[in-house]
Amino acid sequence: MARGAVRNFETALGAIGVLALIITAIIITGWNPLPNITDWWDKVADSTGKLSTPDTAWTDRVGGQPSSAVIAGTAAIVSMRGTVEGRALTDGKVLWTKEADWAGVAGDGGSVVAIVGRRGTGLEALDPVSGQPRWSDHDAVGAWTYREHVLTIACGGLSDCTLTARSPKDGAPIWKLTLPGIGRVLNGINSDLLGTEVKADAYRDAINAMPRPIPAMLGFPIEQKVKIVDTGRGKVLREDGASNTSRVVVAGGRELVSTASPKDGNCRYSLEARDPSNGKTLWKKDGYDLHTASGAGCEQRRDPAGADTVLIATRGDNREVFLSPRDGREMWAGAEGDEIVTADSQYGLVRSNGGKTLSVVGFEKGGRLWQQEVPAKADVAVSRYAVLVRDTAGGKLTAYAPDSGRVLLEAKTTSDVLGIGDHGLMVGRGRTIGYLAYA
């Protein structure tokens, strides 16, 4: 064997020996190097302190990995594991910090509050700027946050719980009701209910953290059934169950039953809307796939995509449509090759031309409002303030006004979007965050 080959062989054996020693040390001591490696990489990635071009108004390093940074007036509510803090949008100054097991944001305009919960002590609603408590519910084990209401749930016993609708601004009770059999499974912040699911790809956490309008009715999952609650009157309307091939959700003030039955190797779909007060069928459509089923047995495993007032479906001729859950009408139907991406209560996003053309559909006016050429694999999302397009490969982020397509922001960045506001975005990379104002 040549001398060089011997030297290479010995070097390889040495490297294997070192690796074996490291693995042995990990096994014996239980030492986990991943957090240290992750923290080191965060520091390297954040060493420049620059999150985008143009620059953010400020950058700062937070104590943990942020999951969201909701813009609330002149402050940003930054949520991390075990901690929530308020920061000034102007300079990033820490306004207040609270320990939290779960946290969210509720209200709108001057009524916005940060909801901070801790196990065993309930929750507090904090002023987003001062951090001072506006109100509290010491018995609450969970909450759902909306623009108009905060729903808190308190469980005195092992099963029955009390659901209370409160005003976000001062916590004044609007109504209360008992939910038998709910137990403590729906604790924490914004536990999943039986309704529609927001499709937001890379922006999921930022979109879901924004308070949305409260639906007229909500579906609470209790013991394999759904309890339908009228959120205006605080009344349980009815309880219903599903089967292996059907799924019951609540949207648009209707109880929706999506059925997928296996036949000839495919799934046959039907959709029925019932009056939640009496179970009477209001409308029914065959051949509309809400993409809730999967597998050879057409098992229903997912909630339909869309918003409370709009469903995303594929009809029998493979055209994708926005469907009204209230009356079953097609709010908009795509042409061949159109792919519906996502929707909120006002706008829907559609891709065509192999994904290279993005169109915005307005549900109030109807039809396409505007369209824009985008990279075929760009991540897109829609919110009340902006349509976001992020070209990961090109490192570019663009924000458009949802109603007109006017460019709000163009930035070179690989940062994540943590929060979306009417005047700018909260962005972050690793543990470094900053505020990126619209032009």
Side-chain angles (χ1 to χ4, degrees):
M1 183 181 295
R3 183 176 301 175
V6 171
R7 187 180 299 112
N8 291 339
F9 180 70
E10 291 175 344
T11 301
L13 282 179
I16 292 172
V18 171
L19 180 61
L21 288 173
I22 293 174
I23 293 173
T24 303
I26 292 173
I27 294 173
I28 294 175
T29 65
W31 170 61
N32 181 7
L34 288 179
N36 292 330
I37 294 172
T38 301
D39 189 59
W40 169 81
W41 176 251
D42 283 346
K43 289 178 180 178
V44 171
D46 298 341
S47 61
T48 63
K50 190 178 180 69
L51 293 174
S52 67
T53 302
D55 288 337
T56 51
W58 50 268
T59 58
D60 200 5
R61 186 173 171 83
V62 295
Q65 183 71 42
S67 59
S68 66
V70 182
I71 295 173
T74 60
I77 312 302
V78 184
S79 295
M80 298 161 280
R81 186 175 181 179
T83 306
V84 61
E85 64 184 24
R87 286 180 174 255
L89 281 185
T90 53
D91 57 11
K93 177 184 176 182
V94 177
L95 303 173
W96 52 269
T97 302
K98 287 277 187 178
E99 293 184 0
D101 294 312
W102 42 270
V105 176
D108 198 20
S111 69
V112 172
V113 290
I115 304 296
V116 179
R118 299 205 67 190
R119 285 186 289 271
T121 62
L123 65 79
E124 289 184 314
L126 309 179
D127 182 283
V129 175
S130 69
Q132 293 299 310
R134 288 188 179 175
W135 54 272
S136 60
D137 184 343
H138 297 300
D139 297 321
V141 297
W144 291 267
T145 54
Y146 300 98
R147 294 178 200 166
E148 306 86 356
H149 293 0
V150 178
L151 301 185
T152 62
I153 188 165
C155 303
L158 295 177
S159 59
D160 292 354
C161 295
T162 299
L163 185 69
T164 305
R166 300 180 181 276
S167 165
K169 188 173 184 178
D170 56 14
I174 300 169
W175 50 257
K176 290 186 179 182
L177 64 86
T178 300
L179 288 178
I182 195 171
R184 294 175 178 267
V185 295
L186 296 177
N187 56 7
I189 196 73
N190 295 321
S191 296
D192 289 338
L193 302 180
L194 293 172
T196 54
E197 179 185 5
V198 175
K199 290 179 66 176
D201 297 328
Y203 309 98
R204 182 178 300 275
D205 289 341
I207 296 287
N208 285 337
M210 299 173 67
R212 295 188 291 272
I214 189 168
M217 295 170 194
L218 292 171
F220 287 81
I222 300 173
E223 298 177 348
Q224 309 299 317
K225 295 183 179 180
V226 55
K227 269 190 197 302
I228 303 175
V229 172
D230 184 327
T231 62
R233 296 180 293 167
K235 180 181 179 181
V236 176
L237 298 179
R238 61 185 269 105
E239 181 183 282
D240 211 344
S243 66
N244 289 336
T245 58
S246 67
R247 189 171 186 87
V248 178
V249 298
V250 179
R254 300 288 186 252
E255 176 189 353
L256 299 177
V257 183
S258 173
T259 303
S261 304
K263 186 174 182 178
D264 300 328
N266 296 309
C267 298
R268 177 166 290 183
Y269 302 99
S270 67
L271 182 60
E272 179 185 356
R274 299 171 182 169
D275 186 331
S277 61
N278 54 28
K280 179 182 177 181
T281 298
L282 298 175
W283 57 265
K284 188 173 182 179
K285 284 180 174 287
D286 292 326
Y288 284 81
D289 178 11
L290 297 185
H291 307 287
T292 57
S294 63
C298 302
E299 297 89 353
Q300 301 267 2
R301 294 191 175 98
R302 298 182 296 271
D303 286 336
D308 179 58
T309 54
V310 58
L311 303 171
I312 297 173
T314 302
R315 67 188 188 191
D317 60 0
N318 289 324
R319 301 289 178 89
E320 299 199 353
V321 301
F322 290 117
L323 201 65
S324 168
R326 185 163 187 82
D327 55 23
R329 65 185 170 87
E330 291 183 357
M331 303 168 71
W332 182 86
E336 185 176 352
D338 284 347
E339 177 191 5
I340 292 178
V341 181
T342 188
D344 68 359
S345 59
Q346 292 180 285
Y347 308 100
L349 300 188
V350 180
R351 303 188 82 145
S352 56
N353 187 28
K356 297 178 182 178
T357 301
L358 180 70
S359 300
V360 176
V361 174
F363 301 130
E364 184 176 338
K365 297 180 180 179
R368 298 179 194 248
L369 300 180
W370 54 273
Q371 64 183 38
Q372 176 67 44
E373 297 304 306
V374 300
K377 295 184 178 181
D379 294 321
V380 299
V382 61
S383 74
R384 65 187 297 200
Y385 299 123
V387 171
L388 300 179
V389 177
R390 186 174 72 175
D391 177 14
T392 305
K396 183 180 179 182
L397 173 66
T398 309
Y400 302 92
D403 58 346
S404 64
R406 178 172 58 90
V407 175
L408 303 175
L409 170 73
E410 285 184 311
K412 293 287 290 182
T413 180
T414 58
S415 300
D416 296 322
V417 175
L418 302 175
I420 308 165
D422 54 348
H423 297 297
L425 308 174
M426 285 293 299
V427 296
R429 185 176 62 240
R431 295 184 181 182
T432 297
I433 63 172
Y435 179 62
L436 184 58
Y438 300 146

